[in-house]
Amino acid sequence: MSPSVRLQEMIRVIRGARTQGEERGVIQRECAAIRAQFRQADNGTRSHNLAKLLYVHMLGYPAHFGQMECVRLIASPRYNEKRVGYLGAMMLLDEKQDASLLITNSIKNDLSHSSQYVQSLALCTLGCMGSAEMCRDLAPEIDRLLRASNSYIKKKAALCAVHIVRKVPELGELFTPASRSLLSEKNHGESVLICFAFLTSPAVQLSAPFCQSFCAYLFHSLLRLVMSGYSPEHNVAGISDPFLQVRILRLLRILGRNNDTASDAVNDLLAQVATNTDSSKTAGSAVLYETVLTVMDIKSESGLRVLAVNILGRFLLNNDRNIRYISMTSLQKIVQTDHNAVQRHRGTIVDCLKDQDASVKRRALELSLALVSAVNIRSLMKELLLFLSSCPPELRAHTTSGIFNAAERYAPSQRWHIDTILHVLTTAGGDVRDETVPNLIQLITTATELHCYTVHKLYRALITDISVQSLVQVACWCIGEYGDLLLRGECEETEPVQVAEDDVLDALEMVLQSHMSSPATRGFALTATMKLSTRITHNVDRIRSIVSIYGSCIDVELQQRAVEYNALFKKYDHMSFMRKIQHIFLMYLMMVCFLVLNYMSPQCDGCFFVSIVPPSVIVYEKNGVTLKLQTDKQTDTGMTITLTATNSTDRDITSLTLQAAVPKSVQLQMKAPSGDVIPAHGLGQVTQTVLLNNPNKVSLKMRVRVCYTSQDFVCQDTVQIDSFPSPAW
């Protein structure tokens, strides 16, 4: 390939390369030729060589040696060379490189050039890569061009001023006088008003009084856009300049926030925008969505808020999944404050649970859980349980957690509460949290009149399927506690089952011998077998035989339980049976109390279900978000901790993520969180379990990164944890 080859020919040769090595060879030869020609005197080919180098840069190859050539071409009096030079500066230079400072004087000269196209090149370059120092030096020139009569230059200058204000916020006051003239521009097809909205949006938080003085102009501009007829110059799908409408609505939202006077003035205008904008097109949906956000963010009237919720409800029927997603995201934010208005669209929201898109389905689940109340608990729970039976695996943990929380808060009766939890355990027992088993046991314990009903139902579930560990654990505990009610065969709440003593022991022995049973489940079954010795009369020897078998079990905890039970059988064999059991109970009760008082490791935690609240410490407290840490289990080399996040603000905290880091020698496993939305006013919490394995027994430390969204602001903090609370053992 000749060194003087044209750009089109070079592109053709590069695209014709069969391998990456061949392409690299072509580019290396061409770059060498370009570098050699850069060293020569001006032969009229500099702009062509730089254009070829820019194409090489677009392919990802080094092109930094062309930076000084950009500076030379920008200083050229020829327009075609100046154009390529400015393009090269925007692509090859940035504010971190010293070479960018060399073009400051050239940009300043070109800003005063007689040609509007040369001025445009300088404005675009400054607005693209101008550093803070360049912005300070050239800000007066931009302010001068904002007052120009040429709307083309005025538009470019406004866009450049946006960049300057973002780089150097204190320069925003410099452009205040010139901004007033932009408000009176009629030709918004030239995007002058768009530029004004872009310009004032970042500055409004810094200078609210200045922006409030323009409210009347903004109202007039937005009303004119909404009520005007068809205008081909700035029409998008039947909507008059939707980009400008969106920007003005955002500005009005900022002006009306925490301002009663501005909010009252905006209410009527927002109602006209909401009722006169067509939502059948994407452009109209964008305007309506910004209108809804504005209504919800200012102190608007109740009727206007209902209108905004109804607009979001119509979005749920849109065929575009993106529109459905943002609709449910917005409804999730306002469901606490406008619960009744959102409740009217419950049927549509529940239908979105059947959507094929995973993100839409997740949002529909979160919104459905937020809509549960004491009035609709039965009907809505049926839909959620139906969804649980077919939901994706990644949503099951969140679904079960939400159902449990809703059932605990709004259960119409204890029997309904128990039936719901058992249904969840049967459907998705492998995805429930660890605290589900003790919580259900506590619920069953307090429901005295339902003991017979519960033990019969759990016995049926146990002999049907023993693969769901959480369900099997609760069933074993219930049989051990209320086995006499099961053997009696009398139950008014459900059809009784005639069960013999051997049938019950066969079921427990099946759990003990199953390869699907975890060590914890076997512990429940062994303890239940031991408890049955107080409730049966003809199979005590069989119970003793079952217990003695596990005295040589390879599982240390199960073996210790069996050995202790056998020792109790032998030591107190001379007592009457009931006195023996009473003595055993008192002895174990004293043992548990002693272990609790000294925070020692339990060996009989599954025997009598003593409920103790683990101690916790607050590791993070900011912006109304509190993160507590508690140690649930601890061994010589391992630890299980739970992170619990609560929210005391008046708005939901969304997009919560917790990330943890530990020393390299420590193994960390984070379970799926119970959700990513923390309800407002402390009405709920988000928990996440962390498993730590410390085989080398190094000093344990952990760093947790907390990230969440609060009132449309993303917050991210990191906390260092150097000590952990002891478990409540």
Side-chain angles (χ1 to χ4, degrees):
M1 185 169 60
S2 173
S4 59
V5 68
R6 298 178 60 188
L7 174 62
Q8 292 85 347
E9 179 64 18
M10 186 190 76
I11 294 175
R12 186 189 63 80
V13 175
I14 291 176
R15 296 185 66 179
R18 297 181 179 179
T19 63
Q20 187 176 6
E22 184 179 348
E23 176 188 290
R24 193 183 304 110
V26 172
I27 290 177
Q28 288 176 349
R29 290 192 298 271
E30 183 61 26
C31 287
I34 292 174
R35 189 181 287 107
Q37 293 190 26
F38 279 168
R39 300 192 189 99
Q40 300 175 5
D42 187 5
N43 53 9
T45 61
R46 289 185 178 275
S47 61
H48 298 289
N49 288 328
L50 184 58
K52 290 190 288 185
L53 189 61
L54 294 180
Y55 179 74
V56 171
H57 172 73
M58 292 170 60
L59 295 178
Y61 292 92
H64 58 277
F65 60 89
Q67 293 175 352
M68 294 306 300
E69 197 64 23
C70 296
V71 177
R72 296 188 186 97
L73 290 178
I74 288 175
S76 172
R78 303 169 186 167
Y79 176 76
N80 61 334
E81 293 184 347
K82 191 181 291 289
R83 180 182 62 179
V84 177
Y86 274 121
L87 178 61
M90 287 186 280
M91 295 180 63
L92 302 180
L93 298 178
D94 57 49
E95 58 182 69
K96 298 180 181 179
Q97 297 169 344
D98 295 336
S100 62
L101 299 177
L102 300 177
I103 65 174
T104 303
N105 191 58
S106 297
I107 292 178
K108 183 176 182 180
N109 294 333
D110 289 339
L111 289 176
S112 302
H113 201 278
S114 58
S115 172
Q116 66 174 357
Y117 302 108
V118 175
Q119 290 179 314
S120 174
L121 291 175
L123 288 170
C124 289
T125 304
L126 179 61
C128 177
M129 47 77 64
S131 63
E133 185 176 352
M134 293 173 65
C135 290
R136 291 189 182 93
D137 294 339
L138 299 175
E141 298 295 325
I142 305 303
D143 181 56
R144 177 179 59 82
L145 293 177
L146 280 173
R147 308 170 191 272
S149 58
N150 190 332
S151 61
Y152 174 77
I153 294 300
K154 194 179 296 186
K155 176 182 68 175
K156 299 290 185 181
L159 290 173
C160 187
V162 172
H163 176 78
I164 293 176
V165 172
R166 288 173 178 169
K167 282 292 180 183
V168 190
E170 59 267 21
L171 291 177
E173 297 297 330
L174 175 65
F175 303 114
T176 299
S179 301
R180 295 178 180 272
S181 63
L182 294 177
L183 283 169
S184 59
E185 288 289 333
K186 303 299 182 182
N187 189 8
H188 58 92
E190 294 290 342
S191 301
V192 175
L193 285 179
I194 295 180
C195 298
F196 166 72
F198 269 103
L199 175 64
T200 52
S201 292
V204 70
Q205 297 180 3
L206 302 175
S207 181
F210 158 68
C211 294
Q212 289 175 359
S213 65
F214 293 123
C215 279
Y217 295 99
L218 294 175
F219 296 161
H220 176 73
S221 299
L222 182 57
L223 186 61
R224 178 165 51 85
L225 289 172
V226 174
M227 305 305 295
S228 63
Y230 175 76
S231 178
E233 294 83 5
H234 43 76
N235 184 278
V236 179
I239 305 299
S240 179
D241 210 339
F243 302 101
L244 178 58
Q245 292 192 48
V246 166
R247 281 294 170 178
I248 292 179
L249 286 168
R250 290 182 182 176
L251 184 57
L252 292 175
R253 180 160 75 247
I254 299 174
L255 292 173
R257 188 177 298 159
N258 300 324
N259 189 320
D260 295 339
T261 304
S263 297
D264 292 339
V266 171
N267 279 333
D268 293 338
L269 178 63
L270 294 177
Q272 293 191 51
V273 175
T275 55
N276 290 281
T277 303
D278 183 13
S279 62
S280 60
K281 303 294 184 180
T282 303
S285 298
V287 174
L288 287 175
Y289 179 64
E290 288 297 332
T291 304
V292 170
L293 295 182
T294 304
V295 170
M296 295 304 174
D297 213 24
I298 67 174
K299 296 182 179 180
S300 55
E301 300 172 351
S302 59
L304 190 58
R305 297 180 71 88
V306 172
L307 177 61
V309 173
N310 291 339
I311 292 174
L312 294 176
R314 292 203 304 269
F315 283 175
L316 293 176
L317 301 174
N318 198 294
N319 293 327
D320 191 331
R321 289 175 177 171
N322 294 323
I323 294 179
R324 295 203 299 272
Y325 179 83
I326 64 172
S327 173
M328 284 186 286
T329 302
S330 301
L331 290 172
Q332 180 72 24
K333 296 177 181 178
I334 63 178
V335 67
Q336 299 297 335
T337 56
D338 297 89
H339 190 272
N340 292 333
V342 180
Q343 195 73 245
R344 298 189 184 98
H345 306 279
R346 187 181 69 206
T348 308
I349 295 170
V350 171
D351 288 340
C352 291
L353 290 172
K354 305 172 185 177
D355 198 287
Q356 298 299 317
D357 188 87
S359 58
V360 173
K361 191 175 295 187
R362 178 181 290 273
R363 285 299 181 193
L365 172 62
E366 294 173 351
L367 190 53
S368 298
L369 292 172
L371 288 176
V372 177
S373 65
V375 178
N376 61 24
I377 181 68
R378 292 183 183 273
S379 59
L380 193 51
M381 192 59 69
K382 289 181 181 179
E383 299 289 346
L384 291 172
L385 292 175
L386 182 63
F387 170 75
L388 179 62
S389 62
S390 60
C391 75
E394 62 271 14
L395 291 181
R396 285 188 178 179
H398 184 36
T399 306
T400 56
S401 176
I403 291 176
F404 288 158
N405 291 335
E408 184 176 358
R409 292 178 62 184
Y410 304 113
S413 64
Q414 287 185 320
R415 175 169 176 172
W416 182 93
H417 193 180
I418 293 174
D419 287 342
T420 300
I421 296 181
L422 293 181
H423 184 99
V424 173
L425 293 180
T426 305
T427 307
D431 299 290
V432 299
R433 302 194 305 266
D434 293 338
E435 61 266 25
T436 301
V437 172
N439 289 346
L440 178 56
I441 289 174
Q442 182 179 6
L443 175 62
I444 295 173
T445 303
T446 57
T448 308
E449 68 280 0
L450 296 175
H451 287 170
C452 184
Y453 167 78
T454 305
V455 72
H456 277 82
K457 189 163 187 175
L458 283 171
Y459 176 75
R460 292 194 190 95
L462 179 64
I463 61 177
T464 302
D465 183 15
I466 62 171
S467 62
V468 182
Q469 298 299 290
S470 55
L471 182 63
V472 174
Q473 291 173 8
V474 177
C476 290
W477 177 89
C478 201
I479 291 173
E481 288 290 328
Y482 313 118
D484 54 332
L485 301 178
L486 179 64
L487 296 173
R488 190 181 305 167
E490 299 176 359
C491 185
E492 297 179 357
E493 292 82 4
T494 184
E495 182 179 354
V497 180
Q498 297 300 324
V499 182
E501 294 179 358
D502 286 330
D503 296 333
V504 177
L505 293 177
D506 288 343
L508 294 175
E509 199 166 6
M510 177 178 60
V511 174
L512 287 168
Q513 296 175 356
S514 174
H515 67 281
M516 294 184 291
S517 298
S518 65
T521 303
R522 289 192 175 95
F524 274 90
L526 187 62
T527 302
T529 304
M530 181 67 179
K531 289 180 180 179
L532 284 178
S533 62
T534 67
R535 295 172 173 85
I536 64 177
T537 56
H538 303 296
N539 286 279
V540 177
D541 291 336
R542 182 180 175 183
I543 293 176
R544 183 178 300 186
S545 174
I546 295 174
V547 172
S548 62
I549 291 175
Y550 290 90
S552 58
C553 179
I554 60 174
D555 184 84
V556 177
E557 183 175 352
L558 198 61
Q559 181 188 92
Q560 183 170 350
R561 289 192 184 189
V563 170
E564 291 175 351
Y565 293 160
N566 278 321
L568 292 173
F569 269 123
K570 295 177 181 178
K571 186 175 182 180
Y572 302 101
D573 194 44
H574 61 282
M575 294 184 180
S576 65
F577 198 72
M578 291 306 299
R579 288 185 59 199
K580 181 193 305 183
I581 296 304
Q582 292 174 358
H583 190 85
I584 293 173
F585 176 79
L586 292 175
M587 185 187 67
Y588 268 99
L589 185 60
M590 293 175 60
M591 183 186 301
V592 171
C593 292
F594 176 78
L595 294 175
V596 170
L597 292 175
N598 291 276
Y599 290 97
M600 296 179 62
S601 175
Q603 299 299 334
C604 302
D605 58 326
C607 300
F608 305 100
F609 302 100
V610 177
S611 178
I612 301 161
V613 179
S616 61
V617 295
I618 298 177
V619 297
Y620 176 82
E621 192 169 18
K622 186 177 179 182
N623 300 328
V625 177
T626 302
L627 184 65
K628 295 182 179 180
L629 181 146
Q630 71 181 35
T631 304
D632 297 327
K633 298 179 182 179
Q634 185 173 4
T635 61
D636 290 340
T637 60
M639 178 182 294
T640 301
I641 64 177
T642 299
L643 297 171
T644 304
T646 57
N647 171 22
S648 61
T649 66
D650 57 354
R651 293 191 177 184
D652 289 353
I653 298 296
T654 60
S655 304
L656 174 70
T657 58
L658 300 177
Q659 297 176 324
V662 293
K664 294 183 178 180
S665 60
V666 179
Q667 300 173 358
L668 179 144
Q669 180 185 1
M670 299 191 72
K671 297 291 187 179
S674 61
D676 61 352
V677 177
I678 316 177
H681 304 293
L683 296 179
Q685 61 186 23
V686 173
T687 61
Q688 187 162 11
T689 302
V690 182
L691 306 180
L692 301 176
N693 185 21
N694 187 10
N696 298 329
K697 300 182 180 179
V698 300
S699 178
L700 188 57
K701 298 181 178 181
M702 184 168 67
R703 183 172 297 171
V704 178
R705 175 176 294 175
V706 185
C707 185
Y708 54 90
T709 301
S710 175
Q711 299 184 3
D712 298 332
F713 292 100
V714 177
C715 304
Q716 181 172 305
D717 293 299
T718 302
V719 294
Q720 178 73 26
I721 303 173
D722 297 323
S723 60
F724 297 83
S726 301
W729 291 344

